[in-house]
Amino acid sequence: MSIIRKSFSISTFTYPHLFFPNRPQSPPFLNLFFLTKQRNKSFSTIMASSSPNSVADRHEIPQILNPRTIVKKVSAKPQREGVGVIVRRSIGTPELKNLDPFLMLDYATFSPPNGFPDHPHRGFETVTYVLEGALKHEDFAGHRGIIRAGDLQWMTAGKGILHSELPTGDIPNKGLQLWINLSSKDKMIEPNYQELQSKDINRAQKDGIEVCVIAGEAFGVRSPIYTRTPTMYLDFTMNPGAELRQLIPLGWNAFAYIVEGEGVFGEEGSSPSTAHNVLVLSNGDGVRAWNKSGGPLRFMLVAGQPLNEPVVQYGPFVMNTREEIQQTLEDYQLCKNGFEKAKHWKSRR
């Protein structure tokens, strides 16, 4: 079921000085990439236990009785955002404004000295998965560190976060960021991070397929990530000739984002889909995919339980009503109700 989006400004790119005249000017609020080195007990670091491939070997190929098919394909076209950042946005565009509970999906590419300075968030979660390069992150609670290739950060902005992300090193940064909505009861919880380094993400291999389990379960292997909004997030790489059958909970909205190569999804006789396309899937108990090409196929399979709540978005703030957005703007402007530390904080550039 689709999100109800109210007719209040929904631009994701809002310059802070336009509605915060007393604050210094800064680049647009954008979806960003980060990983922190936790220094406070309220921000937990999760270390996943290793999962041997013997678990996957014992895992039986599931029977899919009601296979999902592609109902919409959206090309993530490149566009420039921020300071020298190229973003391929799929969810969060006129073609696909949202896919409840998902608000936005970006594949971003940028290099030093480009990046994103201080900016806030409230009311949702960001899932940042870096594919190449490294980024330094810092927030107004004193947490800072580096997110490297293959690392994951699952950030719950909750009642409020102010942070910055800047690239480090000489390698171009590439990665994905997904915005996941929070239910009305969770929008004002305390901020929290869950982190997994690349070496600690559970993996499994079976029949020419490797999966990194970011959230949920695949091949009998589970992720330790706790998802307040129930979510499955799987990073698949399929060798030529491989076939995948993956269960997805009935009623959840689901999509695949192709990172590399080309593959056939849903029905074996359908046309192949190529990199940087989002494939929105119909309802069903699972999905089938085939790699009929001569090279590897890498894609993200993501699904989530719809919230079926109204959404009002104003840049980096996502709430349920216009009044809550107005309150959020006041809270940020006056540095209260979760933004107290924003009053005197600036990141170390």
Side-chain angles (χ1 to χ4, degrees), residues 13 30 33 36 43 65 96 100 109 162 184 186 249 285 289 304 308 330:
F13 313 111
L30 296 170
F33 293 85
T36 58
F43 290 75
L65 302 178
L96 186 60
D100 189 5
T109 304
L162 183 65
S184 56
D186 291 330
D285 61 352
N308 298 323
E330 178 181 317

Short mmCIF file of all heavy atoms in Angstrom, two decimals, residues 13 30 33 36 43 65 96 100 109 162 184 186 249 285 289 304 308 330:
data_model
loop_
_atom_site.label_atom_id
_atom_site.label_comp_id
_atom_site.label_asym_id
_atom_site.label_seq_id
_atom_site.Cartn_x
_atom_site.Cartn_y
_atom_site.Cartn_z
N PHE A 13 16.14 18.80 -1.08
CA PHE A 13 17.28 19.70 -1.15
C PHE A 13 16.83 21.10 -0.75
O PHE A 13 16.39 21.88 -1.57
CB PHE A 13 17.84 19.72 -2.57
CG PHE A 13 17.99 18.34 -3.11
CD1 PHE A 13 17.20 17.88 -4.14
CD2 PHE A 13 18.92 17.48 -2.56
CE1 PHE A 13 17.34 16.60 -4.62
CE2 PHE A 13 19.06 16.20 -3.04
CZ PHE A 13 18.27 15.76 -4.06
N LEU A 30 21.33 16.85 2.30
CA LEU A 30 21.38 15.75 1.34
C LEU A 30 21.51 14.44 2.08
O LEU A 30 21.95 14.38 3.22
CB LEU A 30 22.59 15.92 0.41
CG LEU A 30 22.57 17.15 -0.48
CD1 LEU A 30 23.92 17.29 -1.14
CD2 LEU A 30 21.48 17.03 -1.52
N PHE A 33 26.82 9.78 3.53
CA PHE A 33 27.49 8.54 3.85
C PHE A 33 28.36 8.70 5.09
O PHE A 33 29.04 9.69 5.26
CB PHE A 33 28.39 8.14 2.67
CG PHE A 33 27.60 7.77 1.48
CD1 PHE A 33 27.18 8.76 0.61
CD2 PHE A 33 27.24 6.47 1.25
CE1 PHE A 33 26.43 8.43 -0.50
CE2 PHE A 33 26.50 6.14 0.15
CZ PHE A 33 26.09 7.11 -0.73
N THR A 36 30.65 5.76 12.24
CA THR A 36 31.27 6.40 13.39
C THR A 36 32.04 5.40 14.23
O THR A 36 31.74 4.22 14.25
CB THR A 36 30.21 7.08 14.30
OG1 THR A 36 29.28 6.09 14.70
CG2 THR A 36 29.52 8.18 13.55
N PHE A 43 25.38 4.50 22.04
CA PHE A 43 25.59 4.21 20.63
C PHE A 43 26.32 2.87 20.53
O PHE A 43 27.52 2.80 20.77
CB PHE A 43 26.39 5.32 19.95
CG PHE A 43 25.64 6.60 19.81
CD1 PHE A 43 25.43 7.42 20.90
CD2 PHE A 43 25.11 6.96 18.60
CE1 PHE A 43 24.72 8.58 20.76
CE2 PHE A 43 24.40 8.13 18.46
CZ PHE A 43 24.21 8.95 19.55
N LEU A 65 5.84 -20.30 -3.95
CA LEU A 65 4.52 -20.62 -4.49
C LEU A 65 3.90 -19.46 -5.23
O LEU A 65 3.11 -19.66 -6.16
CB LEU A 65 3.60 -21.08 -3.35
CG LEU A 65 4.09 -22.29 -2.54
CD1 LEU A 65 3.12 -22.61 -1.42
CD2 LEU A 65 4.31 -23.49 -3.44
N LEU A 96 9.35 7.60 -8.79
CA LEU A 96 9.09 6.72 -7.66
C LEU A 96 9.31 7.52 -6.38
O LEU A 96 10.38 7.50 -5.79
CB LEU A 96 10.02 5.50 -7.71
CG LEU A 96 9.80 4.40 -6.68
CD1 LEU A 96 8.41 3.80 -6.80
CD2 LEU A 96 10.86 3.31 -6.82
N ASP A 100 6.79 2.64 0.54
CA ASP A 100 6.60 2.47 1.99
C ASP A 100 7.18 1.14 2.48
O ASP A 100 6.82 0.08 1.97
CB ASP A 100 5.08 2.51 2.25
CG ASP A 100 4.71 2.56 3.73
OD1 ASP A 100 5.61 2.66 4.57
OD2 ASP A 100 3.50 2.52 4.01
N THR A 109 28.70 8.98 -5.77
CA THR A 109 30.12 8.93 -6.11
C THR A 109 30.72 10.30 -5.89
O THR A 109 30.19 11.31 -6.39
CB THR A 109 30.32 8.53 -7.59
OG1 THR A 109 29.67 7.28 -7.83
CG2 THR A 109 31.80 8.41 -7.92
N LEU A 162 22.76 15.92 14.29
CA LEU A 162 23.46 16.89 13.45
C LEU A 162 24.85 16.31 13.21
O LEU A 162 25.57 16.01 14.16
CB LEU A 162 23.55 18.25 14.14
CG LEU A 162 24.20 19.40 13.37
CD1 LEU A 162 23.38 19.77 12.14
CD2 LEU A 162 24.38 20.62 14.26
N SER A 184 5.24 6.44 13.81
CA SER A 184 4.98 7.62 14.64
C SER A 184 5.46 7.41 16.07
O SER A 184 5.95 8.35 16.70
CB SER A 184 3.48 7.95 14.62
OG SER A 184 2.72 6.83 15.04
N ASP A 186 8.07 5.85 17.02
CA ASP A 186 9.53 5.80 17.10
C ASP A 186 10.22 7.06 16.61
O ASP A 186 11.45 7.16 16.71
CB ASP A 186 10.05 4.61 16.28
CG ASP A 186 9.71 3.27 16.90
OD1 ASP A 186 9.60 3.21 18.14
OD2 ASP A 186 9.55 2.30 16.14
N PRO A 249 8.87 -11.86 2.92
CA PRO A 249 7.59 -11.93 3.63
C PRO A 249 6.44 -11.35 2.80
O PRO A 249 6.58 -10.31 2.16
CB PRO A 249 7.84 -11.08 4.89
CG PRO A 249 9.32 -11.19 5.11
CD PRO A 249 9.92 -11.21 3.74
N ASP A 285 5.53 -14.43 -2.16
CA ASP A 285 6.29 -15.01 -1.06
C ASP A 285 7.78 -15.11 -1.35
O ASP A 285 8.55 -15.60 -0.51
CB ASP A 285 5.74 -16.39 -0.69
CG ASP A 285 5.80 -17.39 -1.84
OD1 ASP A 285 6.14 -16.99 -2.97
OD2 ASP A 285 5.50 -18.58 -1.61
N ALA A 289 15.76 -15.05 -9.52
CA ALA A 289 16.66 -14.26 -10.36
C ALA A 289 17.64 -15.19 -11.05
O ALA A 289 18.04 -16.23 -10.50
CB ALA A 289 17.39 -13.21 -9.53
N GLY A 304 10.61 -4.31 3.01
CA GLY A 304 10.23 -3.77 4.31
C GLY A 304 8.73 -3.82 4.52
O GLY A 304 7.95 -3.80 3.56
N ASN A 308 2.07 2.30 6.49
CA ASN A 308 0.72 2.79 6.20
C ASN A 308 0.35 4.00 7.07
O ASN A 308 -0.75 4.08 7.62
CB ASN A 308 -0.30 1.66 6.39
CG ASN A 308 -0.06 0.51 5.44
OD1 ASN A 308 0.32 0.71 4.29
ND2 ASN A 308 -0.25 -0.71 5.92
N GLU A 330 11.18 24.59 14.42
CA GLU A 330 11.40 25.43 15.61
C GLU A 330 12.43 24.82 16.53
O GLU A 330 13.31 25.52 17.05
CB GLU A 330 10.07 25.62 16.35
CG GLU A 330 10.19 26.45 17.62
CD GLU A 330 8.86 26.60 18.34
OE1 GLU A 330 7.84 26.84 17.66
OE2 GLU A 330 8.85 26.46 19.58
#
